[in-house]
Amino acid sequence: MSDNKVWKAVQPYFNGGASGMLATCIIQPIDMVKVRLQLGAQGSPLQVAKDIVAKDGFGALYKGLSAGLVRQATYTTARLGIFQQISEYAKQLNDGKNLPLWQKAACGLTAGGLGALVGTPADLTLIRMQADSTLPLEQRRNYKGVGDAMMRIVREDGVAGLFRGGGPTV
């Protein structure tokens, strides 16, 4: 498979996305607690986790997982794949020599910014899905999943609404 040009081009994107998605499955409960603390929940992280489970069940710790997975499938996939491609191009421009630190940093900043831009819609839906149960009942959006959330955001705010808050992220 190492001779396959298509696989060689796709591999950094695939590896980045797969590793990011696996990490998201593991870290999702911690991210949920973090978001609740950022929204004003009181107590230690462990107490906030206990409160979430007591109020909404264990599955509530994984609320927004679908959006988190889409975020990783877009953001991490793009970021790591783009970094690989940009780095290889920069190395060619550098006559095949290893890149100095400042060029690696420039490649990383470019790839990170482009990846963040690509991942902003999924990031927005993730935050909205995680925060939804903290809203008063009449204000809850009750998204059915990441697809429903994205479609409703586009319907209510236009395509540009998917990129709300994206500037600071990039």
Side-chain angles (χ1 to χ4, degrees), residues 21-32:
M21 292 172 81
L22 178 61
T24 294
C25 291
I26 295 166
I27 207 77
Q28 183 67 24
I30 296 167
D31 194 52
M32 173 60 90

Side-chain angles (χ1 to χ4, degrees), residues 23-106:
T24 294
C25 291
I26 295 166
I27 207 77
Q28 183 67 24
I30 296 167
D31 194 52
M32 173 60 90
V33 169
K34 175 200 74 167
V35 167
R36 292 290 177 89
L37 285 166
Q38 289 173 329
L39 292 172
Q42 299 297 311
S44 70
L46 193 55
Q47 185 59 51
V48 171
K50 285 181 184 178
D51 291 347
I52 291 170
V53 171
K55 182 180 175 213
D56 298 318
F58 183 79
L61 291 171
Y62 284 88
K63 184 105 176 158
L65 178 63
S66 60
L69 292 172
V70 170
R71 179 184 185 274
Q72 293 303 330
T74 56
Y75 169 64
T76 305
T77 299
R79 179 173 48 101
L80 294 179
I82 291 169
F83 176 76
Q84 182 74 27
Q85 298 296 319
I86 292 173
S87 294
E88 286 178 16
Y89 181 70
K91 194 171 181 178
Q92 287 174 359
L93 294 177
N94 207 23
D95 297 324
K97 297 176 192 160
N98 287 333
L99 301 177
L101 180 60
W102 74 269
Q103 285 181 339
K104 288 179 184 177

